[in-house]
Amino acid sequence: MHVTVWNEYVHEQQEERPRELYPDGMHATISADLREHGYDVTTATLDEPEHGLTEEMLEETDVLVWWGHRKHDAVSDDVVERVKSHILDGMGFIPLHSSHESKIFKALMGTTCELSWREADERERIWILEPGHQIAEGLDQQIVLEETEMYGERFDIPEPDTLVMVSWFEGGEVFRSGCCYRRGSGKIFYFRPGHETCPIFHNDEVMRVIRNAIDWAAPVDGPDVQFEAVEPPLESLDE
Ligand code: ZN
């Protein structure tokens, strides 16, 4: 299992609080946890050539984790197309938090992916709706984050194939926080938490969800896709 953790890596270099929480970037914190749990991990960031997402890199990637916010528009359309074709081909994809507005997530969803939000360090309760789902493995009934940014409905996404989690916020809003999709042969799990001024990726339960999602989204070694009818037909056809 090879995981690539992609981060735009802007807030942590430009702002004090994100730098305190993630001195080497969120991608470093996330990948350190994954390595501790036995995953083979590479990181990639926006400023690298081709944003670190070359054809060779994606070819080796089973699951791509993505964090973006301020620089969505700086991600090149060519790279977005390349990532999309790998997802359709079976690569797993885990967009986190503000990646809801990334070019790649919007391209996969086909909707605006807009939502409402508020930065007030309020409490969030993430309720697990599907306790039998692979992504719920080892979790309690809910995950409580004492201080988070609020994301509220409506979240302009297509109806998820499976809605695994829903969040309640202290201010009264609710939000679909854990959404599973299939696109082509690829599996996608959008996971809401991850605001850059909160220690979200230092939270064991959050990281458990991300690891479970990686396991769930891993490619399956299924049959090659064929878009041509078998010639000649395998059985004789009525004249
Ligand atoms: Zn945020």
Side-chain angles (χ1 to χ4, degrees), residues 67 69 97-98 149 151 194-196:
W67 196 100
H69 180 227
H97 188 59
S98 41
E149 177 185 27
Y151 275 9
H195 189 59
E196 67 276 1

Side-chain angles (χ1 to χ4, degrees), residues 53 58 64 66 78-88 91 93 104:
L53 298 172
L58 292 171
L64 176 63
W66 189 281
D78 288 349
V79 170
V80 171
E81 266 311 304
R82 188 187 297 156
V83 170
K84 184 178 166 188
S85 83
H86 277 268
I87 293 167
L88 296 180
M91 181 178 75
F93 183 57
I104 176 63

